[in-house]
C-alpha cells in the first residue's frame, strides 16, 4: 500500500486529477503487478494499519496537507479499493477463493463509487479530482456488464421446468446494469448541481457522466431515459460550459448519441446534423467509432438528400460494405427485386442496429428512379413552329406498370401501380396527377422528379 499512497501523494501535490484517478484504476490487464502488490498477503488488519499510518501519522511526508474531512474520505476509498483488488484477483483466478464472482467485484466496486461520490458531498474533495469520478463510473459499468453476463451463464445451467413462476430470467438479465444506471445518475447529479465558479466546477464532468448514462441506457434498451438526460442538459445549458470546451472524445460521443436519439424519433434532418458533427470530429484512427456513426448517417443521408455511400467511403468498413453496398447498387439500377433481396438478407443485422424501418423507406427512392427512367425513355413530343422540344408528359399507366413488373419480378395490376404513384406524388418525389379514367399520368413539364434535374 505504501507505493500506492506514494503515487497518491505525488498526484495530490501536483493537483493532477488524471494521475490521481490512475491510482484507482482496477484494470488487471494494465496493472496486474500493481494489483498483486496492493493485495499482498490479503491481511486486512495489516492493510488497515498501513493506511491509518500513511494517512494520519505520516502527514509530514505530504507536501500539501489534507484536511481532516479529506483524509477521512480518501482513507475510506482506498480501504474499499483494497477489498476490490482482492475480489478482482479472485474473479480472474489469480488467487484462490471459493466464493469469487464478478457480482462480488461489482458490489465491492459499487462501494468505492459510493465513497467517491460521498467525498464530494461530505468530505470537501476538490473539484480538480473529478477524474476519479470518471474512473469509478467507467468501471462500475464494465463490472456490472460482466456480473450480468456471468449471471446469464449460471441461469443457463438451471432447469427452467423447476422454476415455474418463481423466477423470471428476463428480470435478472440486466440486474447489475440497472443498479449501475442509478449510481451513474447520481454521479451526473453531483456534477450538474455544483454551484462553484465554472473554472473550478464539477460541471466539467457533466458530459463524461452523460455519455456513460447514454451507453448504459442503450444497453438496457431504455432510450426514453436518455431523452430525460437530454432535457436536463438543455434546461441547464446556461449553467454548463459550452460543449466545444470539453475534450473532443466527449463531444463525439455526446453528438453520436444525440444523433441516434433524433434518428429513432425519425427526425432525420436533426439526426444528420449531429451525426455529421460526430463524424467530422472523430479521430480517423477510431475505426469502430467511425463505423458506428456511419451506421446511422448513411440511412439519414438516403432519406434527407437521397445520397448513396460510395465504395471509397465504405472501403475501410467491410461490415458496412456487406450491408449497404447491395442496397446502394439496387437503388442506382432502379432494381426493386434486388433491393428487396438485399433488405431481406441484411434484415437481422438492420433490426439489431435499429435501421431496418428507415432503410425500408429507401424503396421509395428505387421506385422514384424507376419511374424517372420510364419518363426519360418516353422521349420528346414533336416540336411546334420551331419551339424547343418538350418531354412527353402524358404517359400511359400501362408503361409504368410494365416497368414495375419487370423490376420487381412480380405480377402487379395497374390499380396497385396507381396507388404507388399517388404515394410518390404525395411525398413530393414526383410532380403531376393521375387521370384515372383515361389511364394516363400527366407529369409536370418542369421538375417532374424534384431534385433529379428532370
Amino acid at each position: 500500500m505504501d507505493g500506492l499512497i506514494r503515487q497518491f501523494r505525488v498526484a495530490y501535490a501536483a493537483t493532477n486529477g488524471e494521475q490521481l484517478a490512475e491510482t484507482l484504476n482496477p484494470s488487471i490487464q494494465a496493472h496486474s503487478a500493481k494489483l498483486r502488490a496492493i493485495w499482498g498477503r490479503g491481511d486486512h488488519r495489516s492493510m488497515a494499519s498501513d493506511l491509518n499510518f500513511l494517512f494520519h501519522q505520516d502527514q509530514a511526508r505530504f507536501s500539501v496537507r489534507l484536511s481532516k474531512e479529506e483524509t477521512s474520505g480518501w482513507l475510506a476509498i482506498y480501504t474499499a479499493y483494497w477489498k476490490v483488488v482482492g475480489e478482482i484477483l479472485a474473479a480472474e483466478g489469480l488467487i484462490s477463493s471459493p466464493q469469487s464472482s464478478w457480482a462480488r467485484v461489482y458490489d465491492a466496486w459499487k462501494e468505492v463509487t459510493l465513497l467517491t461520490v460521498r467525498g464530494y458531498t461530505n468530505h470537501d474533495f476538490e473539484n480538480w479530482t473529478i477524474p476519479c469520478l470518471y474512473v469509478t463510473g467507467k468501471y462500475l459499468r464494465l463490472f456490472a456488464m460482466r456480473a450480468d453476463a456471468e449471471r446469464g451463464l449460471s441461469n443457463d445451467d438451471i432447469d427452467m421446468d423447476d422454476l415455474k413462476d418463481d423466477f423470471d430470467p428476463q428480470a435478472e438479465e440486466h440486474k447489475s446494469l440497472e443498479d449501475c444506471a442509478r449510481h451513474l445518475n447520481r454521479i451526473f447529479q453531483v456534477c450538474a448541481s455544483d454551484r462553484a465558479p465554472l473554472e473550478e466546477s464539477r460541471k466539467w464532468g457533466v458530459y463524461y457522466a452523460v455519455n456513460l448514462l447514454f451507453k448504459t441506457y442503450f444497453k438496457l434498451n431504455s432510450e426514453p431515459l436518455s431523452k430525460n438526460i437530454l432535457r436536463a442538459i438543455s434546461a441547464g445549458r446556461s449553467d454548463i460550459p459550452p460543449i466545444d470546451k470539453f475534450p473532443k472524445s466527449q463531444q463525439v460521443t455526446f453528438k453520436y448519441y444525440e444523433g441516434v436519439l433524433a434518428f429513432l424519433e425519425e427526425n432525420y434532418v436533426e439526426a444528420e446534423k449531429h451525426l455529421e458533427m460526430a463524424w467530422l470530429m472523430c479521430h480517423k484512427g477510431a475505426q469502430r467509432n467511425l463505423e458506428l456513426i456511419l451506421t446511422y448517417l448513411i440511412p439519414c443521408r438516403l432519406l434527407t438528400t437521397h445520397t448513396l455511400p460510395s465504395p471509397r467511403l465504405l472501403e475501410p468498413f467491410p461490415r458496412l460494405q456487406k450491408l449497404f453496398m447491395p442496397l446502394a447498387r439496387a437503388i442506382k439500377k432502379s432494381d426493386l427485386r434486388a433491393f428487396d433481396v438485399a433488405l431481406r438478407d441484411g434484415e437481422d443485422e438492420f433490426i439489431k442496429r435499429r435501421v431496418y424501418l428507415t432503410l425500408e423507406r429507401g424503396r421509395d427512392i428505387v421506385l422514384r428512379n424507376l419511374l424517372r427512367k420510364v419518363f426519360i425513355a418516353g422521349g420528346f413530343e414533336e416540336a411546334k413552329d420551331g419551339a424547343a422540344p418538350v418531354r412527353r408528359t402524358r404517359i400511359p399507366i400501362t408503361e409504368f406498370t410494365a416497368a414495375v413488373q419487370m423490376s420487381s419480378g412480380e405480377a402487379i395490376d395497374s390499380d396497385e401501380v396507381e396507388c404507388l404513384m399517388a404515394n410518390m406524388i404525395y411525398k413530393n418525389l414526383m410532380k403531376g396527377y393521375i387521370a384515372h379514367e383515361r389511364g394516363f399520368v400527366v407529369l409536370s413539364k418542369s421538375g417532374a422528379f424534384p431534385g433529379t434535374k428532370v
Side-chain angles (χ1 to χ4, degrees):
M1 293 300 287
D2 187 61
L4 179 67
I5 302 307
R6 192 181 306 118
Q7 294 173 18
F8 170 83
R9 287 169 171 164
V10 170
Y12 213 92
T15 62
N16 188 325
E18 297 291 340
Q19 193 176 350
L20 183 64
E22 192 62 18
T23 66
L24 292 173
N25 190 326
S27 171
I28 193 71
Q29 289 76 22
H31 301 290
S32 176
K34 169 191 162 184
L35 296 185
R36 286 171 179 267
I38 290 170
W39 180 245
R41 296 188 302 274
D43 184 345
H44 183 274
R45 180 177 296 179
S46 175
M47 175 276 301
S49 175
D50 287 350
L51 282 179
N52 189 60
F53 172 77
L54 291 167
F55 272 103
H56 287 295
Q57 300 174 36
D58 199 27
Q59 282 274 10
R61 290 169 62 183
F62 272 97
S63 56
V64 179
R65 289 189 65 84
L66 279 70
S67 69
K68 183 178 178 181
E69 286 296 329
E70 286 179 289
T71 300
S72 173
W74 288 114
L75 175 60
I77 287 171
Y78 283 104
T79 300
Y81 179 71
W82 180 84
K83 295 176 183 176
V84 172
V85 169
E87 295 293 351
I88 292 172
L89 293 174
E92 293 285 2
L94 299 177
I95 60 174
S96 61
S97 173
Q99 296 180 323
S100 63
S101 71
W102 286 104
R104 287 173 65 92
V105 172
Y106 171 74
D107 288 338
W109 188 258
K110 180 169 68 173
E111 181 63 19
V112 173
T113 304
L114 290 170
L115 289 169
T116 305
V117 170
R118 202 171 297 150
Y120 295 94
T121 57
N122 295 1
H123 295 290
D124 303 328
F125 283 10
E126 296 184 45
N127 292 336
W128 61 266
T129 65
I130 59 170
C132 294
L133 280 177
Y134 301 169
V135 169
T136 54
K138 172 184 175 180
Y139 284 97
L140 186 70
R141 175 177 168 271
L142 295 176
F143 291 147
M145 289 191 293
R146 294 200 70 167
D148 287 334
E150 179 184 66
R151 190 179 297 108
L153 289 174
S154 64
N155 288 342
D156 289 341
D157 297 333
I158 299 173
D159 184 357
M160 297 305 295
D161 290 337
D162 294 337
L163 299 177
K164 302 191 184 302
D165 296 332
D166 297 331
F167 177 71
D168 178 7
Q170 293 298 320
E172 294 283 305
E173 186 178 358
H174 296 298
K175 178 182 177 182
S176 296
L177 197 60
E178 288 172 354
D179 182 61
C180 168
R182 289 188 283 272
H183 296 293
L184 292 178
N185 194 57
R186 177 63 180 145
I187 291 176
F188 168 69
Q189 295 295 339
V190 164
C191 293
S193 61
D194 191 20
R195 292 291 174 261
L198 277 184
E199 57 271 14
E200 55 185 43
S201 173
R202 291 194 297 270
K203 284 189 168 67
W204 291 102
V206 161
Y207 281 105
Y208 191 94
V210 165
N211 290 338
L212 281 178
L213 280 168
F214 281 157
K215 292 176 183 179
T216 304
Y217 288 148
F218 270 71
K219 184 75 174 176
L220 293 170
N221 287 322
S222 300
E223 291 86 355
L225 295 176
S226 296
K227 295 170 192 172
N228 293 340
I229 295 295
L230 277 183
R231 281 192 285 269
I233 289 286
S234 180
R237 190 152 278 163
S238 60
D239 297 327
I240 299 172
I243 190 171
D244 59 5
K245 302 297 182 185
F246 287 78
K248 271 195 175 180
S249 60
Q250 295 182 26
Q251 294 183 51
V252 169
T253 304
F254 181 78
K255 284 297 173 185
Y256 166 73
Y257 281 107
E258 195 173 18
V260 172
L261 287 169
F263 180 94
L264 296 177
E265 290 184 329
E266 302 184 2
N267 187 349
Y268 298 115
V269 173
E270 192 73 11
E272 182 182 2
K273 181 180 76 173
H274 296 307
L275 291 168
E276 188 170 2
M277 288 179 67
W279 170 263
L280 293 173
M281 287 190 293
C282 189
H283 192 282
K284 298 311 173 189
Q287 291 293 100
R288 175 59 178 157
N289 292 343
L290 291 169
E291 181 177 312
L292 287 171
I293 295 168
L294 278 182
T295 300
Y296 295 94
L297 186 54
I298 288 171
C300 276
R301 285 281 181 86
L302 177 62
L303 291 192
T304 57
T305 61
H306 304 165
T307 303
L308 298 174
S310 66
R312 182 180 175 185
L313 174 69
L314 295 181
E315 187 177 351
F317 311 104
R319 283 184 292 189
L320 296 187
Q321 270 187 327
K322 183 180 178 182
L323 288 173
F324 289 119
M325 285 312 296
L327 292 172
R329 284 193 292 268
I331 292 172
K332 283 183 178 179
K333 292 180 180 179
S334 311
D335 191 333
L336 289 168
R337 177 174 170 76
F339 182 86
D340 292 339
V341 169
L343 196 63
R344 185 180 66 241
D345 289 347
E347 181 176 357
D348 291 343
E349 192 65 26
F350 292 142
I351 291 173
K352 179 182 175 183
R353 297 181 184 225
R354 303 179 176 91
V355 298
Y356 180 82
L357 295 177
T358 304
L359 290 172
E360 194 176 35
R361 297 184 184 185
R363 199 174 195 274
D364 289 341
I365 312 302
V366 185
L367 183 59
R368 188 276 311 273
N369 291 349
L370 179 64
L371 301 179
R372 178 176 176 271
K373 284 185 176 181
V374 174
F375 176 62
I376 292 173
F380 295 86
E381 295 177 350
E382 292 185 13
K384 297 179 180 179
D385 302 327
V390 177
R391 284 198 176 277
R392 184 179 60 143
T393 56
R394 289 166 52 84
I395 302 173
I397 292 175
T398 53
E399 292 185 17
F400 290 116
T401 303
V404 173
Q405 286 178 340
M406 290 175 63
S407 180
S408 65
E410 299 176 355
I412 185 170
D413 59 37
S414 59
D415 287 342
E416 190 172 346
V417 172
E418 280 190 41
C419 288
L420 292 173
M421 296 180 72
N423 198 35
M424 291 290 102
I425 293 169
Y426 173 76
K427 293 179 178 179
N428 200 35
L429 294 172
M430 185 171 79
K431 291 175 70 175
Y433 63 91
I434 300 169
H436 174 72
E437 292 182 357
R438 298 184 180 183
F440 277 90
V441 175
V442 182
L443 295 173
S444 172
K445 291 183 179 180
S446 60
F449 293 88
T452 66
K453 300 180 181 179
V454 174

